[in-house]
Amino acid sequence: MEIIIRPDAESAAKLVAAIVAKTVRENPQAVLGLATGQTMIPVYADLAARHAAEGLSFAEVTTFNLDEFVGCNRGTAYSFAHFMEEHLIRHIDADPERCFIPDGCAEDLRAECEAYEEAIRDSGGIDLQLLGLGLEGHIGFNEPLSAFGSRTRVKSLFPKTSEASRGFFPAGMAVPGRGITVGIETIMEARRIVMLVTGARKAEMLARAVEGPLAAIVPASALQLHPSCQIVADEAAARELKHTEYYRHVFETEPEWEEFR
Ligand code: GLP
């Protein structure tokens, strides 16, 4: 695991977008795992800008989103599918047929979860998985105590998780209490994982996830076991980390980061 600390949220997001852009340039048929949430908005804005300015093409890319609220799908204005459409898909040349998001309105949710796992397998697996960090240390909707061996399934959400999405829903409407999420094991099968964490309110959880013990109560701590995982944080989110001097040294001296500095 490597921790990269950038001065602010904007430069952290730009670095993540640069990693995605490089992945897609090197492999136009890359399979990307995508996340929703406020943290990702500037990443998608940067990718859309690269598409417009540099012609970065997503035409052959396949994408799999991490999660969706139960009761929501592409037709729902406040779904994660809608979020992706608004913030990324309609601004780039991706083929909507290859942009997968779990269908939270599926009649048989269990079958939907199995089909989602199969679609990921059929695509050849995820090359680059983007993650945000939830306030409870969750990744996707893998809430605290999610098994490290979990696969795509329906999870009941922590009230704090539902509340964090309040802004996406119309005033007065209850945020759904359940979501479909890919599992922690599904996430860990990605060939590379990049997690973006910004803002002081994530600082304590980030420190627990990367410098604390492996614990199901902090689902993101599972990432410590991944052989190719980078965490990009801004100064505010990094402020509870103990070994920042070392993390900065690695970023400043490792040749693989030269083009990103
Ligand atoms: C939600 C989503 C996650 C997201 C996390 C962080 O729980 N299911 O995919 O990464 O929240 O969201 P934000 O970036 O808005 O803080």
Side-chain angles (χ1 to χ4, degrees):
M1 174 178 279
E2 286 159 292
I3 319 288
I4 295 153
I5 303 168
R6 300 279 74 202
D8 49 38
E10 193 191 338
S11 49
K14 277 197 185 315
L15 196 149
V16 171
I19 293 172
V20 176
K22 186 177 185 214
T23 304
V24 171
R25 268 196 310 270
E26 287 178 356
N27 175 12
Q29 295 178 344
V31 181
L32 303 176
L34 300 180
T36 49
Q38 299 291 345
T39 316
M40 290 299 153
I41 293 176
V43 176
Y44 298 146
D46 192 83
L47 290 174
R50 282 168 184 271
H51 171 67
E54 305 160 16
L56 178 68
S57 177
F58 296 82
E60 295 175 65
V61 158
T62 300
T63 69
F64 287 96
N65 262 76
L66 284 169
D67 45 15
E68 180 61 279
F69 286 107
V70 167
C72 293
N73 68 5
R74 280 175 206 268
T76 320
Y78 28 84
S79 61
F80 284 163
H82 182 76
F83 173 100
M84 291 309 298
E85 186 61 32
E86 283 297 296
H87 291 287
L88 184 66
I89 309 300
R90 74 185 176 92
H91 304 287
I92 58 175
D93 58 347
D95 176 357
E97 293 286 305
R98 282 207 301 273
C99 296
F100 294 88
I101 301 193
D103 181 358
C105 293
E107 233 168 82
D108 183 341
L109 290 171
R110 184 181 285 208
E112 172 65 14
C113 294
E114 279 167 20
Y116 205 70
E117 285 278 339
E118 205 177 310
I120 296 175
R121 260 195 313 275
D122 289 351
S123 75
I126 290 170
D127 294 302
L128 172 63
Q129 174 69 58
L130 296 189
L131 294 177
L133 177 64
L135 288 171
E136 295 290 344
H138 58 273
I139 44 179
F141 275 147
N142 292 287
E143 298 285 35
L145 294 186
S146 288
F148 285 3
S150 53
R151 311 294 310 190
T152 303
R153 68 213 184 288
V154 173
K155 279 296 284 183
S156 283
L157 306 179
F158 257 56
K160 220 190 215 178
T161 305
S162 301
E163 213 32 55
S165 292
R166 163 110 312 281
F168 295 118
F169 287 81
M173 183 181 169
V175 179
R178 294 192 307 157
I180 294 187
T181 182
V182 299
I184 295 182
E185 194 169 73
T186 322
I187 291 171
M188 295 290 283
E189 283 170 1
R191 293 179 189 94
R192 180 180 185 184
I193 297 178
V194 173
M195 181 161 81
L196 174 62
V197 190
T198 56
R201 64 196 188 114
K202 303 276 178 74
E204 189 207 331
M205 206 37 94
L206 178 62
R208 287 178 66 190
V210 305
E211 293 178 340
L214 287 183
I217 199 78
V218 183
S221 67
L223 300 175
Q224 294 175 27
L225 296 171
H226 196 279
S228 179
C229 175
Q230 290 90 40
I231 297 182
V232 182
D234 66 355
E235 290 285 354
R239 71 181 188 190
E240 303 277 331
L241 296 172
K242 286 198 191 74
H243 303 291
T244 51
E245 212 173 300
Y246 174 66
Y247 309 147
R248 291 183 211 278
H249 168 74
V250 171
F251 182 65
E252 290 305 328
T253 55
E254 284 288 336
E256 64 161 303
W257 292 113
E258 201 175 332
E259 64 190 289
F260 297 102
R261 292 199 277 266

